[in-house]
Amino acid sequence: MNIFKILAATALLTIPVASMAQKGVEDGSKYGHGEDSVTCIMNLVQYGDQVKMKNYKDAYEPWKIVFEQCPLAKVGIYTDGLKIMKALIKSDKANQNTYYDFILKIYDQRAKYFGSNKKYPTSYLMGMKALDIVAFGPNDKATRAEVIGLLETALTGSPTTIQPAFLQTYMTQVASQYSNDETSAEAVVNAYVKCCEIMPKVEQAGGDKLKEAVATSKDNIEQIFAHSGAADCATLEKIFSPQLAANKSNEAWLKRINKLLGNGDCTDSDLFYATSEELHKIAPEASSARGLAKMYLKQNDIEKSISYYEEAIKLEEDGNLKGKYYYEMAFLLFSTNNLSAAKNATVNAIQLRGDWGAPYILLAKLYATGARNIGEKDYEKKAGYWAAVDKLVKAKSIDSSEAIQKEATDLIRQYSQYFPSKEDLFFEGIKDGASYHVGGFINENTTVRAKK
């Protein structure tokens, strides 16, 4: 028999006079005394049976008595209470506000009586309360401020009690404040930095079971910040430039700010160059090497810029970023008229990011630039434009972005004007539509096409 049913049966046999009754909420006991202890135990049993059957409507009234009269009875009255309220808030639209208010009271009362629990302390409970406010409460200025306050409390807890969802929701709410003109861009940046500082600790404390959740939240936080509109270069410079002098040997700070500037396309900023140099002295990384490549490019030292791009590519583990670095380096090699090396770098970018149209467009430009240096006859010198158009068609087929579609279309129109005429092809005995191998640095098979 359930222990509470046994207690209830026993209590019925030993009811003292009503004048001696005391509720648990009044004297700090689990069930109170006298009649009130009987009331508490009986209602515990009653609502518990209803919860097991998922009959939350009938569980509501007896649960409410237990919640109000014997809050120390057990932690389960709070977890059960949330089940009841969340079920009723969906099914009983007329009384949603009442159930929502109870959700808030449940968290506050549990924190009052059980907030010292190591696994689920007050900080954790305030974080969960914030999540439920977001799920069931209004979306307005006051609510956003309340949620952020609760989450700031949650984030002061031990990493073992901080959920990835706390960090993601915190970032979302601060970004939402900014979009509604309720806070500054600096507040959004600071929130992002705070999340970046805490997330690795949460991941380490949570072990393998949290890895996937942490990775998802990390990606979402990056996206929220990137699209917040607060991460402009001027704001980042204003916030972090004054902090540089005190953090020149702080590897974690340098990495964080360097990455932040790099992701925000602030690679032309003085702060990006400075953090790149300092970071590269301490712990060479792909991002710092790229920063130095950008810095030397700005100083028109192409040779040094290329050498740092090569180092960034060697150090980078992320395929997308490595592809981006190859692409940027290819442009530099193109500027020195080293078409063969530029082609190799561009092909590497394509192999790493096959769904990106920009490298194909760059490859087309390389082919068009070098076409006149291949072959002796006029049609041979124009064959490179066939290969160039092949790359532009490929770019359009894999990348639907407006910029790629427009540039590729414009270049196809431009390069097609350099195709040999039908008469020239006929004179050379070459058929329109035949396969043709372009030599030189292009070294590719293409299709013969006459100028229209």
Side-chain angles (χ1 to χ4, degrees), residues 57-236:
K57 183 177 181 181
D58 290 339
Y60 175 69
E61 288 299 336
W63 172 87
K64 184 178 174 184
I65 292 170
V66 174
F67 177 77
E68 292 176 344
Q69 295 188 16
C70 38
L72 280 162
K74 61 173 184 172
V75 175
I77 65 176
Y78 302 100
T79 54
D80 290 338
L82 290 174
K83 288 180 187 176
I84 294 167
M85 299 310 147
K86 290 178 183 181
L88 294 179
I89 208 170
K90 294 174 183 177
S91 62
D92 184 1
K93 304 292 184 184
N95 294 298
Q96 281 183 329
N97 290 338
T98 299
Y99 305 133
Y100 174 68
D101 288 342
F102 261 118
I103 288 174
L104 306 188
K105 290 176 185 176
I106 286 168
Y107 283 112
D108 292 340
Q109 187 162 296
R110 180 174 174 180
K112 178 180 178 180
Y113 293 107
F114 294 95
S116 59
N117 184 283
K118 286 186 178 180
K119 190 173 182 180
Y120 304 113
T122 295
S123 61
Y124 169 84
L125 297 175
M126 293 305 100
M128 295 304 295
K129 178 181 179 182
L131 298 187
D132 278 346
I133 290 175
V134 172
F136 301 105
N139 181 19
D140 54 33
K141 181 177 180 179
T143 305
R144 282 189 288 273
E146 181 184 8
V147 167
I148 289 168
L150 290 169
L151 289 170
E152 285 175 343
T153 297
L155 298 182
T156 63
S158 163
T160 58
T161 66
I162 298 174
Q163 300 298 302
F166 295 172
L167 291 158
Q168 183 176 324
T169 305
Y170 178 64
M171 192 70 238
T172 301
Q173 293 297 305
V174 176
S176 183
Q177 277 191 325
Y178 179 69
S179 68
N180 285 283
D181 296 322
E182 296 161 9
T183 194
S184 64
E186 186 170 347
V188 181
V189 175
N190 288 334
Y192 174 74
V193 171
K194 179 184 283 191
C195 290
C196 290
E197 290 174 342
I198 295 174
M199 189 68 82
K201 299 174 185 177
V202 174
E203 183 174 23
Q204 186 177 9
D208 291 340
K209 65 180 181 180
L210 267 186
K211 274 188 178 178
E212 187 175 342
V214 168
T216 300
S217 290
K218 193 182 295 183
D219 289 343
N220 290 340
I221 287 168
E222 292 280 0
Q223 291 299 314
I224 293 163
F225 181 61
H227 292 95
S228 68
D232 64 276
C233 301
T235 300
L236 297 177

Side-chain angles (χ1 to χ4, degrees), residues 412-431:
I412 288 172
R413 187 182 304 113
Q414 178 184 333
Y415 293 164
S416 296
Q417 298 306 305
Y418 297 104
F419 289 174
S421 67
K422 289 181 180 180
E423 292 77 10
D424 289 341
L425 292 175
F426 178 78
F427 180 77
E428 295 292 344
I430 300 172
K431 292 183 178 181

Side-chain angles (χ1 to χ4, degrees), residues 19 37 368:
S19 60
S37 67

Side-chain angles (χ1 to χ4, degrees), residues 327-374:
Y327 174 71
E328 291 175 354
M329 185 174 74
F331 262 108
L332 285 183
L333 292 164
F334 190 7
S335 73
T336 65
N337 207 36
N338 191 342
L339 301 184
S340 181
K343 177 192 172 182
N344 290 338
T346 309
V347 169
N348 284 329
I350 288 170
Q351 289 174 344
L352 289 161
R353 296 182 63 172
D355 61 346
W356 187 22
Y360 283 100
I361 289 179
L362 176 56
L363 206 52
K365 291 176 179 177
L366 289 169
Y367 289 180
T369 299
R372 301 300 297 180
N373 299 321
I374 298 172

